[in-house]
């Protein structure tokens, strides 16, 4: 990516996985689970440091660790010597997650390509699969078949053919009721208000959770990326639609009804352009790929000629780079509407960081300095520094890894208790 000034591009990785700090109210979890999660977040940690970090007494840590070792969930490991210890004697002993103690699968379904990952309980990648997806609307049965094929392909890549995962999580775009496990609306599904979680559980023979894919992107950052040590942050994804995941107090925020943060369907223009959700004036109707395609069809003078959407977008982008004024105007307008959306996120939630992600960010007009300047102008308050914005540069599997994080949460509750 080109130099973006105040926009940063980082994908930091640290040992371990999961939030680095316990969420408020986490004391409702059992002592076993709190210590297990602290070990996983650290990657490897001594009993002394574990006691200091969690606030549990050394005796409680020692007893609980012995129980977790006996049940095969954690194991002892040599830790690096501390500087200045002379390098004599046995290396210090720590604790780490026993990788083969369990396995989960994370799945992402879309209208371009589907992906899945297999993770062990320590969050390490064991295998993955990416398969093409039809660009047309599919029935519920077709979605179930795609998910089943993805899980089997990922398990095969991991060398676990026939194994039963401890948990499976699946993400897809649209409006998802996380608590009820229902897909209320998805842009590429023929049916609506579908009990997809229960249907998948019966089909796959393993416990399943489903969620909006933007939430999974936020979970990927919270568990594996830039958000591990942040109290709060927002992830805005720009792909075939516009999505948002929000983390508050180290926890994914799904809203009071479990439907998540639908930034793409916030209104930026009354009686404006038609959105694929059926309403008018949504942010998505000005920024998402189908919005750019709609504008490109006119800008490129294609008339009724049928052209592949991806090819049309690439042509529009190339012409904008070459100085075509109309093509540049299309991207500029999309960027301005995106600035309005980002400004609303800052004003409503005051996040410590906004991460921009998604395939459409290769179109650098959407995150140009003009976009950030307008965002700052719309949110300027005396004495308040601008909210930092970073580009998320992970590959396509990040969505499935976020689903894997959701599956790890679920499996941990079940296996550790």
């Amino acid at each position: 990516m080109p130099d973006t000034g105040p926009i940063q591009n980082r994908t930091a990785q640290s040992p371990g996985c999961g939030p680095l700090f316990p969420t408020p109210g986490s004391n409702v979890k059992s002592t076993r689970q709190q210590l297990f999660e602290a070990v996983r977040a650290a990657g490897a940690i001594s009993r002394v440091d574990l006691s200091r970090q969690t606030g549990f007494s050394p005796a409680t840590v020692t007893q609980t660790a012995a129980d977790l070792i006996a049940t095969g969930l954690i194991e002892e490991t040599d830790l690096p010597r501390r500087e200045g210890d002379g390098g004599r004697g046995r290396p210090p002993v720590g604790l780490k997650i026993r990788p083969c103690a369990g396995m989960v699968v994370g799945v992402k379904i879309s209208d371009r390509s589907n992906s899945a990952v297999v993770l062990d309980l320590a969050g390490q990648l064991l295998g993955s699969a990416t398969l093409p997806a039809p660009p047309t609307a599919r029935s519920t049965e077709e979605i179930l078949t795609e998910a089943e094929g993805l899980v089997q392909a990922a398990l095969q890549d991991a060398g676990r053919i026939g194994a039963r995962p401890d948990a499976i999580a699946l993400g897809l775009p649209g409006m998802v009721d996380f608590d009820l496990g229902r897909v209320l609306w998805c842009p590429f599904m023929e049916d609506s208000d579908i009990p997809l979680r229960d249907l998948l559980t019966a089909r796959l023979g393993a416990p399943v959770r489903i969620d909006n894919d933007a939430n999974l992107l936020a979970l990927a950052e919270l568990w594996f990326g830039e958000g591990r040590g942040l109290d709060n942050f927002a992830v805005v994804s720009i792909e075939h639609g516009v999505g948002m995941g929000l983390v508050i107090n180290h926890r994914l925020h799904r809203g009071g009804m479990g439907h998540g943060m639908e930034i793409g369907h916030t209104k930026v223009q009354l009686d404006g352009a038609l959105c694929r959700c059926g309403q008018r004036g949504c942010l998505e109707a000005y920024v998402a790929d189908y919005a750019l395609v709609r504008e490109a069809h006119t800008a490129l003078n294609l008339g009724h000629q049928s052209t592949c959407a991806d090819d049309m977008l690439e042509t529009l982008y190339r012409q904008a780079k070459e100085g075509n004024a109309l093509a540049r105007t299309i991207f500029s307008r999309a960027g301005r509407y995106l600035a309005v959306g980002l400004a609303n996120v800052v004003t409503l939630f005051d996040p410590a960081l906004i991460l921009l992600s998604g395939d459409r960010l290769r179109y650098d007009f959407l995150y140009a300095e003009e976009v950030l300047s307008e965002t700052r102008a719309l949110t300027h308050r005396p004495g308040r520094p601008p909210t930092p914005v970073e580009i998320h540069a992970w590959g396509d599997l990040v969505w499935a890894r976020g689903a894997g994080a959701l599956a790890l949460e679920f499996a941990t509750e079940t296996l550790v208790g």
Side-chain angles (χ1 to χ4, degrees):
M1 287 187 178
D3 181 19
T4 54
I7 295 182
Q8 300 177 54
N9 185 347
R10 296 187 295 173
T11 52
Q13 297 277 346
S14 5
C17 75
L20 290 174
F21 303 100
T23 60
S26 62
N27 55 0
V28 300
K29 299 177 181 179
S30 69
T31 301
R32 283 167 53 93
Q33 186 171 342
Q34 291 182 65
L35 290 176
F36 180 89
E37 291 176 349
V39 171
R40 179 165 57 197
I45 188 172
S46 70
R47 288 169 175 82
V48 171
D49 288 339
L50 188 59
S51 173
R52 184 182 302 113
Q53 182 174 306
T54 61
F56 289 111
S57 69
T60 297
V61 169
T62 298
Q63 180 180 350
T64 306
D67 179 42
L68 291 170
I69 291 172
T71 54
L73 291 169
I74 68 174
E75 61 187 10
E76 291 187 331
T77 184
D78 290 339
L79 296 175
R81 296 182 183 276
R82 297 181 187 274
E83 187 176 349
D85 67 1
R88 297 178 179 178
R90 182 185 175 189
V93 176
L95 302 169
K96 70 174 185 177
I97 304 301
R98 188 166 174 259
C100 59
M103 173 188 64
V104 302
V105 180
V107 178
K108 163 69 185 299
I109 298 288
S110 77
D111 56 357
R112 301 297 173 91
S113 66
N114 299 330
S115 56
V117 298
V118 181
L119 305 177
D120 63 25
L121 277 194
Q124 298 299 309
L125 182 67
L126 302 178
S128 65
T130 301
L131 299 174
T136 56
R138 288 104 87 184
S139 67
T140 301
E141 177 61 28
E142 287 173 320
I143 294 294
L144 293 173
T145 300
E146 288 177 26
E148 183 177 26
L150 267 174
V151 170
Q152 295 307 316
L155 288 173
Q156 181 176 4
D157 186 61
R160 305 292 181 90
I161 299 175
R164 178 185 181 274
D166 294 291
I168 298 171
L170 178 142
L172 71 174
M175 298 178 184
V176 178
D177 189 318
F178 174 79
D179 296 326
L180 296 179
R182 303 183 73 90
V183 177
L184 306 179
W185 171 80
C186 174
F188 53 76
M189 287 188 68
E190 295 174 350
D191 307 315
S192 58
D193 197 12
I194 303 302
L196 189 62
R197 180 191 65 194
D198 295 342
L199 293 173
L200 282 169
T201 298
R203 182 70 164 257
L204 301 176
V208 174
R209 288 292 182 269
I210 66 170
D211 208 343
N212 175 272
D213 58 357
N215 282 342
L216 300 182
L217 201 55
L219 278 178
E221 289 290 353
L222 181 62
W223 276 68
F224 305 107
E226 196 68 23
R228 293 190 65 202
L230 292 177
D231 174 73
N232 67 90
F233 63 92
V235 177
V236 175
S237 62
I238 308 169
E239 290 217 330
H240 319 308
V242 181
M244 174 178 162
L246 179 67
V247 169
I248 299 176
N249 288 333
H250 311 288
R251 178 181 295 168
L252 181 66
H253 181 67
R254 294 187 174 91
M257 299 180 67
H259 296 174
M261 308 289 104
E262 288 290 346
I263 186 177
H265 301 289
T266 57
K267 303 301 180 281
V268 294
Q269 181 70 55
L270 291 177
D271 301 319
L274 181 64
C275 177
R276 61 180 176 175
C277 75
Q279 297 192 25
R280 289 187 175 274
C282 296
L283 174 63
E284 185 174 294
Y286 295 92
V287 177
D289 62 349
Y290 65 87
L292 296 175
V293 165
R294 181 188 62 225
E295 299 293 332
H297 208 273
T298 301
L300 301 177
N301 296 316
L302 296 176
H304 297 291
Q305 178 181 346
S306 177
T307 305
C308 170
D310 284 340
D311 291 344
M312 193 182 302
L313 282 175
E314 292 301 328
T315 299
L316 182 71
Y317 181 59
R318 186 180 67 252
Q319 292 199 9
K321 282 291 193 182
E322 293 172 354
N324 182 301
L326 188 52
R328 294 178 69 91
T329 297
I330 291 172
F331 279 108
S332 175
R333 186 174 79 149
R336 293 197 69 191
Y337 277 111
L338 177 60
V340 171
L342 296 178
N344 287 338
V345 172
V346 172
T347 302
L348 288 171
F349 302 110
D350 191 27
L353 172 68
I354 293 179
L355 293 161
L356 295 181
S357 180
D359 186 54
R360 293 301 172 247
L361 288 177
R362 69 179 183 272
Y363 303 137
D364 52 14
F365 289 98
L366 294 179
Y367 60 87
E369 174 56 32
E370 291 79 5
V371 175
L372 286 194
S373 295
E374 188 141 12
T375 301
R376 289 194 291 267
L378 292 170
T379 57
H380 175 70
R381 294 198 299 270
R384 184 194 187 284
T387 298
V389 178
E390 296 182 10
I391 296 299
H392 176 107
W394 291 10
D396 290 342
L397 285 180
V398 64
W399 307 87
R401 290 193 74 186
L406 178 59
L408 282 171
E409 281 186 348
F410 186 30
T412 300
E413 295 173 3
T414 304
L415 296 174
V416 180

